[in-house]
Amino acid sequence: AIASHSLQTRNYVRGIVKSRFLRRGISHTRCNAEAKPRKDAKVAVIGAGISGSVCAAELARRGYQVDVYEREAEVGGRAGGHSGEVELEFKRGSVPVRFDTGAQYISPKSPEFQSMIDTWAGNGILKEWKGRVATVTLPEGKTDARATIEEKSTSGERWIGSGGMGTLCAHLLKDKSIKSLTNQMVDRAEWSDTDTTWKLFAQQQQGEDSEDHLGSYDAVVVSAKQALTKGPFQGVGLFDSSELKEIEKKTWSFTACLAFEQPVPDLGFQGAIVCGSRSLGWISHQTSKTPSPIQSSASKDRRKKTPTLDCWVLQSNDVISKFCDEDRQKVVLAEEDNVMKDYLFYAIGTRMQEDFGTLVSSILGDRSIQEIPMYSVHFKEWTDNLMGVNLPPGPPGVRCRVDDQKRIVACGDYLTGSKIEDAALSGKSAADAVAAMFDAN
């Protein structure tokens, strides 16, 4: 059965409008508030995806005290992963596994981001992935024709987290000046013009009227777009109503994580873009990217005694996204928690598993994969606008929204593009904006 569901939002927004900055008193330069010594300034970062993590790490490097709030159990966002254990059948014990559930690799394009990659690789956070990536096309119709495989050309390097993609943000947040709080929602935010600070609050479980004061901050960086659209920072004015409506658009996509008790026969690639499938857009051989936790850290005796699993990551395609955008499914998906929504997710996950079996059989020309015991380890849904939203382009090099008066910054891939690179550079830009707020005139 599909083990768990977790919601992670990532969105893509194409730029920002300089004239809107100016007419709302929003800028990307200096703070108009009284300058404050850097060592005394405390900053809250909302969201621990790649953008928020890069921002927090850069602020810590410059001497700020940073608290990072992440609503999920693990940091990483769409650069995250899933770690857990698979209970083997017939009470044969459990096997630890890990998967890259979001971005599968990073390919730097700009010199600025290449510099980040070089630093992370030098610190052992990233390693180069040399796996073969192909495009697999399934034959149309129900025929005996085999799938075709064409190697995907690449003009650059591919990088992955040294312990999986999910370890990248975790490493970035290790600085002693950063306090990382997972499973922590921020339900209300209050700006004080008197003492020029933000106060953040979380609702207590006991009652709707009870709140915990999370802390007071000299500046806030919001990288989680849901905190701006429907959350505690909805009315701060960084975006106008038409922009917020555009940002809120959803496109559903899904990741299924599978583990096999025996290796899947060699398909001739380690990752593939899939064409012609009912549900699959990407498949990746996780085991070839990062070994299981047992193989990488356990003693030789334990490795011999504990079986390892062959792990694969499946990601859905636009066929599934369009299916979820139909009126009947939209009604079900609009609810936070309901049985029909769980059933819909289960049906999508099952279809992705079946289509993976069909794909492998079409490549190999046999059905040997059906004989291998398989476990559905994890299923993750994303509400992502994969193609970006329709915001006009902003000034060159401006990768975040800043309100100097209220000392709040918005950053993330939903502002500048659809890549991990866009998110990272937006986070770096947000850190620069915060630093400018506290630089003496």
Side-chain angles (χ1 to χ4, degrees):
I2 294 174
S4 62
H5 304 300
S6 57
L7 180 62
Q8 175 66 41
T9 308
R10 58 182 164 101
N11 288 266
Y12 310 98
V13 181
R14 298 285 184 191
I16 36 189
V17 183
K18 188 173 184 179
S19 62
R20 287 174 176 167
F21 280 0
L22 299 177
R23 72 168 180 262
R24 291 204 304 272
I26 298 172
S27 69
H28 61 280
T29 53
R30 301 179 87 63
C31 178
N32 297 318
E34 183 180 353
K36 195 170 186 178
R38 290 180 177 177
K39 296 293 183 181
D40 294 336
K42 190 174 182 181
V43 183
V45 176
I46 314 301
I50 188 68
S51 186
S53 297
V54 167
C55 179
E58 180 63 19
L59 288 172
R61 187 186 67 81
R62 299 184 187 200
Y64 293 91
Q65 294 294 315
V66 185
D67 288 355
V68 180
Y69 294 93
E70 171 56 50
R71 63 184 293 178
E72 299 292 338
E74 296 184 7
V75 301
R78 71 182 185 97
H82 171 76
S83 298
E85 291 196 348
V86 175
E87 294 290 336
L88 300 178
E89 292 180 322
F90 310 117
K91 298 182 179 180
R92 290 178 291 138
S94 60
V95 180
V97 292
R98 57 187 169 207
F99 297 89
D100 298 332
T101 53
Q104 297 296 293
Y105 56 85
I106 304 172
S107 291
K109 303 298 181 185
S110 68
E112 187 176 359
F113 189 53
Q114 182 65 61
S115 178
M116 287 187 184
I117 293 293
D118 292 342
T119 299
W120 296 340
N123 292 334
I125 299 174
L126 295 181
K127 65 179 183 181
E128 191 173 0
W129 181 44
K130 296 184 179 295
R132 184 189 180 200
V133 176
T135 298
V136 178
T137 303
L138 286 165
E140 295 183 9
K142 295 182 179 180
T143 68
D144 294 331
R146 302 272 291 273
T148 59
I149 301 175
E150 181 180 352
E151 186 162 4
K152 185 178 183 296
S153 61
T154 179
S155 58
E157 303 166 335
R158 300 187 183 99
W159 294 88
I160 58 176
S162 56
M165 291 297 291
T167 61
L168 173 57
C169 290
H171 277 91
L172 291 173
L173 298 174
K174 278 186 174 181
D175 191 283
K176 63 181 180 180
S177 298
I178 300 174
K179 183 180 180 182
S180 183
L181 302 129
T182 55
N183 282 322
Q184 181 61 69
M185 290 281 292
V186 176
D187 296 303
R188 189 169 70 85
E190 181 181 286
W191 166 257
S192 171
D193 286 321
T194 304
D195 55 8
T196 60
T197 59
W198 284 96
K199 294 180 180 179
L200 305 185
F201 302 88
Q203 181 178 304
Q204 293 183 353
Q205 294 183 353
Q206 305 82 296
E208 294 183 359
D209 297 329
S210 301
E211 287 184 322
D212 287 327
H213 179 220
L214 298 174
S216 298
Y217 300 93
D218 300 293
V220 172
V221 178
V222 184
S223 67
K225 73 101 184 179
Q226 65 269 23
L228 288 163
T229 55
K230 293 184 178 180
F233 302 97
Q234 183 177 3
V236 296
L238 288 171
F239 301 92
D240 62 29
S241 58
S242 62
E243 290 174 320
L244 287 173
K245 185 176 180 181
E246 191 69 28
I247 294 171
E248 286 177 332
K249 289 182 178 180
K250 294 181 178 180
T251 299
W252 286 87
S253 59
F254 304 87
T255 299
C257 303
L258 308 183
F260 296 84
E261 285 202 22
Q262 301 169 23
V264 171
D266 183 16
L267 302 180
F269 55 80
Q270 286 70 52
I273 298 168
V274 183
C275 301
S277 171
R278 299 182 304 171
S279 66
L280 300 178
W282 167 266
I283 62 173
S284 177
H285 188 212
Q286 183 70 47
T287 304
S288 70
K289 294 172 67 180
T290 52
S292 74
I294 282 182
Q295 292 299 316
S296 59
S297 63
S299 65
K300 289 184 178 180
D301 289 342
R302 191 184 175 200
R303 290 180 204 172
K304 291 178 181 178
K305 295 177 182 177
T306 307
T308 57
L309 299 174
D310 195 34
C311 297
W312 286 80
V313 171
L314 321 179
Q315 294 184 327
S316 63
N317 60 9
D318 59 350
V319 176
I320 292 295
S321 298
K322 291 175 182 178
F323 169 75
C324 291
D325 200 41
E326 295 175 2
D327 290 341
R328 185 170 59 179
Q329 279 71 247
K330 287 174 72 172
V331 171
V332 174
L333 293 169
E335 300 293 331
E336 285 296 324
D337 294 295
N338 62 65
V339 175
M340 290 302 296
K341 188 174 183 178
D342 290 339
Y343 177 79
L344 179 59
F345 288 160
Y346 179 83
I348 292 171
T350 300
R351 170 168 288 192
M352 292 172 69
Q353 294 172 36
E354 293 173 349
D355 288 352
F356 180 69
T358 300
L359 175 67
V360 173
S361 297
S362 181
I363 293 172
L364 299 176
D366 61 47
R367 299 183 179 274
S368 58
I369 189 173
Q370 297 181 3
E371 306 300 322
I372 305 175
M374 184 271 292
Y375 301 87
S376 178
V377 181
H378 186 67
F379 184 73
K380 187 179 184 71
E381 69 272 15
W382 310 78
T383 51
D384 312 323
N385 198 324
L386 298 177
M387 299 305 294
V389 301
N390 189 26
L391 289 186
V398 179
R399 302 186 179 103
C400 63
R401 289 280 179 99
V402 185
D403 186 338
D404 289 329
Q405 297 290 343
K406 292 186 176 180
R407 291 178 178 158
I408 185 169
V409 184
C411 65
D413 58 1
Y414 64 93
L415 278 167
T416 57
S418 62
K419 305 294 185 183
I420 292 291
E421 176 167 351
D422 300 312
L425 294 179
S426 180
K428 172 64 165 56
S429 181
D432 292 340
V434 171
M437 291 178 181
F438 299 103
D439 281 343
N441 292 323

